[in-house]
Structures are given as C-alpha cells and as structure tokens.
Amino acid sequence: QIRDLERQGRGLGRPSRRFAFSLLLWRWRRKSSTRSGRSPAPAVTEAVARSGPGPWAPCAARVMRTEAEAAGPTLEPGDFVQLPVPIIQQLYHWDCGLACSRMVLRYLGQLDDGEFESALQELRLTRSIWTIDLAYLMRHFGVRHRFCTQTLGVDKGYKNQSFYRKHFDTEETRVNQLFAQAKACKVLVEKCTVSMQDIQAHLAQGHVAIVLVNSGLLHCDLCSSPVKYCCFAPSSHRCFCRTPDYQGHFIVLRGYNRATECIFYNNPAYADRMCSTSISNFEEARTSYGTDEDILFVYLDS
C-alpha cells in the first residue's frame, strides 16, 4: 500500500503526501482500536484534521466518514453505566429487600454475614420488610443514604390491597414510628419526586439504589426464555407474576444505556443474571400504586 501511494503521489505536492501518510496511519489505528474495543471516531477526526487540502481529501474523508458510521454511534461519558454489583438471591418469598441490602453492602465492601444477622436481630426485622427498614439497616452499617418517598408513613389506602392486608394492622404503628424517629436516628428520609435524570446522575457517579417496584409490571428484556423464577419469589414458591394485583418487590439498580433507553438491575429472584428493561417499563413499575415511588439511594463513599 505504501509503494502504491508513493507511485501515485510522486506528482503531488507535500500536503497530499502528508495526507497519504495520515490515511495509512488512520487505517492502522482503526484496526488497533477495533481489536481493543475502543471507538475509532477519535482517529477519524485526527486523520481528517491532519490531511488538510489536496485532491484526495474529499474522497478519502467521505470513505472515512462512511466507515466510522458503519462502526455505530459513539457514546459520550455518562451515556453507558454498568456497575459491578454482585448478585445475591433471596431465600424466601419475603426477603427480597434483605437480599438487595446484602448486594449493596457487598458492593461497598461492608458485608459480613455474622454482622448482618446481628443487625437484623437488633433492628427486630421480621418477615414484613418495608423500605424504611432498609434505610435503618443502611444507617446501622454507617452507609450514607437518602430515602425518597411520596408518603411519610403508611398510606391507609393500602389496607384494602391484598399485598398489604395480612400485616397491615400490626405493621402500621411500627412503620409510622420508624418514620417519626428517623431524624433522631440519623436516617435521611425525604418526601419528594425523583426523576429518571436524577437516578441516572446517581448511577453515573458509581452509586447504586434499591427501588420498590410492582413486580407484576416489571418485564426483563434479557430473560427471553420462559421465566423459571417468579420476579417476586424463588421457584419453590407460588409465582405471583400473573396476578393483576400489586406485588411489591425490591431490586437493585446498577446502570443504564441512554442510546437504547434501558436500565440495568439485579433482581434477587435470580442468582445467575443481570436484568434489563426499558426506561418506560421501569418507570411504570416503580410508580405503580402501592410503591409510594420508594427509592433508597446508597452512596459509594460511605
């Protein structure tokens, strides 16, 4: 190729010769960047900038532009985030929130099984786990957090919901007390609305979040095979996914892709996969009646 270009470039001026060299350099760099998984776009820009004017420039620039477009769009920093949050499966139909807490603590490097069990006993956590319980759990381990919700306490309207009905009378007083004592216990709770942009900005900094969703509305795009586990309970329990009623379930957010408009998350119902869904589906599941739009932001610098 070099000899070929030399023969063709003998009658050309210096700018064109410089461009011929730039074109070869760009092709070599593009092959190297493709092998390493990096985008060739910076090399394209550099080659065009160095080429300057000359009889080959329009044609070659068009070729480089076509090859760059074929390689796909380049993502800016913050357009794609996928955090290495470990996956821990829930053991029972009621402990998805605890499994999510284990994932987060392990991601932060703070999980000790013995200490975790002691914390559950100290906080008197039973089979009825609310988002405020998880906030107290994070505070117990000294983890910086921020619990955002639409209701500071228990919404009395949930009493008629089948999901809440069984434990509502016994849990209402306990949960309301936790909300009332939150400030004194240094548990940060805010009544506010959280946007998708807020969530993405949080994840882009390496932080994670535990979100309460309606599992009946959440659909993973990566689980193409028939669901072996319910998104609310492990396979050994009855699957609630097909019921039209609200079914509360906790998941851990671990990233997103702005180009494909999807969100990545860990579902504690599974032990072997990361899940992904469209942002629109995620928004539908997390804002469903019954969730109070609960989201527990957890910070890496804890």
Side-chain angles (χ1 to χ4, degrees), residues 88 90 93-101 103 127-135 147 163-164 209-215 218 231-233 246-253 265-270 282 290-291 293-296:
I88 298 178
Q90 63 191 89
H93 71 280
W94 53 267
D95 69 333
C96 55
L98 299 184
C100 288
S101 298
M103 294 187 216
R127 294 191 174 190
S128 181
I129 305 295
W130 295 61
T131 317
I132 188 68
D133 291 316
L134 305 184
F147 172 27
F163 180 80
Y164 290 101
I210 299 176
V211 184
L212 179 62
V213 298
N214 182 349
S215 64
L218 189 67
C231 46
F232 180 72
Y246 167 80
Q247 291 296 327
H249 187 58
F250 289 105
I251 60 174
V252 178
L253 300 188
Y265 63 95
N266 286 358
N267 186 340
Y270 301 101
F282 169 69
T291 66
E293 298 185 27
D294 284 4
I295 179 167
L296 179 60

Side-chain angles (χ1 to χ4, degrees), residues 266-296:
N266 286 358
N267 186 340
Y270 301 101
D272 59 351
R273 70 192 71 178
M274 177 193 74
C275 290
S276 173
T277 190
S278 66
I279 288 177
S280 59
N281 178 243
F282 169 69
E283 288 285 81
E284 180 186 13
R286 83 173 184 94
T287 59
S288 170
Y289 180 73
T291 66
D292 278 331
E293 298 185 27
D294 284 4
I295 179 167
L296 179 60

Side-chain angles (χ1 to χ4, degrees), residues 14-31:
R14 241 178 231 181
S16 296
R17 289 177 186 171
R18 280 201 305 269
F19 171 72
F21 174 75
S22 297
L23 182 60
L24 284 174
L25 181 64
W26 169 76
R27 286 176 177 169
W28 176 78
R29 285 182 175 174
R30 186 177 186 276
K31 287 179 180 178

Side-chain angles (χ1 to χ4, degrees), residues 15-265:
S16 296
R17 289 177 186 171
R18 280 201 305 269
F19 171 72
F21 174 75
S22 297
L23 182 60
L24 284 174
L25 181 64
W26 169 76
R27 286 176 177 169
W28 176 78
R29 285 182 175 174
R30 186 177 186 276
K31 287 179 180 178
S32 301
S33 65
T34 303
R35 284 194 295 268
S36 62
R38 295 193 304 269
S39 169
V44 174
T45 306
E46 185 179 2
V48 174
R50 288 183 179 181
S51 64
W56 295 359
C59 179
R62 187 165 59 251
V63 171
M64 287 188 287
R65 187 167 56 249
T66 303
E67 292 186 3
E69 289 170 354
T74 58
L75 294 176
E76 297 295 330
D79 283 347
F80 182 91
V81 174
Q82 193 175 109
L83 303 174
V85 181
I87 301 173
I88 298 178
Q89 189 175 26
Q90 63 191 89
L91 301 176
Y92 310 100
H93 71 280
W94 53 267
D95 69 333
C96 55
L98 299 184
C100 288
S101 298
R102 288 178 182 270
M103 294 187 216
V104 168
L105 291 173
R106 181 165 291 176
Y107 174 68
L108 299 177
Q110 297 191 34
L111 180 61
D112 178 275
D113 291 332
E115 291 181 7
F116 191 83
E117 293 301 325
S118 298
L120 299 185
Q121 295 179 11
E122 185 175 335
L123 295 174
R124 298 178 181 178
L125 297 184
T126 59
R127 294 191 174 190
S128 181
I129 305 295
W130 295 61
T131 317
I132 188 68
D133 291 316
L134 305 184
Y136 271 80
L137 192 57
M138 292 298 117
R139 175 66 187 90
H140 179 89
F141 284 96
V143 173
R144 190 159 72 92
H145 62 278
R146 178 176 168 234
F147 172 27
C148 297
T149 182
Q150 291 294 303
T151 308
L152 297 176
V154 177
D155 187 336
K156 290 186 177 294
Y158 295 161
K159 186 173 184 177
N160 298 321
Q161 290 274 334
S162 59
F163 180 80
Y164 290 101
R165 189 179 301 133
K166 183 178 180 180
H167 301 286
F168 190 89
D169 293 331
T170 57
E171 288 292 284
E172 182 180 13
T173 301
R174 182 187 75 85
V175 172
N176 284 335
Q177 286 178 348
L178 290 177
F179 274 95
Q181 299 167 0
K183 187 175 181 180
C185 296
K186 297 183 179 179
V187 174
L188 182 57
V189 181
E190 294 181 23
K191 181 179 179 180
C192 61
T193 300
V194 177
S195 69
M196 195 61 227
Q197 289 72 28
D198 295 330
I199 295 173
Q200 290 177 332
H202 181 78
L203 294 170
Q205 298 178 59
H207 309 313
V208 292
I210 299 176
V211 184
L212 179 62
V213 298
N214 182 349
S215 64
L217 298 177
L218 189 67
H219 306 290
C220 176
D221 297 329
L222 300 180
C223 301
S224 55
S225 57
V227 178
K228 296 180 180 178
Y229 304 95
C230 176
C231 46
F232 180 72
S235 57
S236 57
H237 296 79
R238 181 170 64 92
C239 181
F240 297 96
C241 290
R242 299 301 178 186
T243 177
D245 295 335
Y246 167 80
Q247 291 296 327
H249 187 58
F250 289 105
I251 60 174
V252 178
L253 300 188
R254 59 181 293 178
Y256 61 87
N257 186 339
R258 280 203 179 103
T260 57
E261 296 186 344
C262 68
I263 194 94
F264 304 126
Y265 63 95

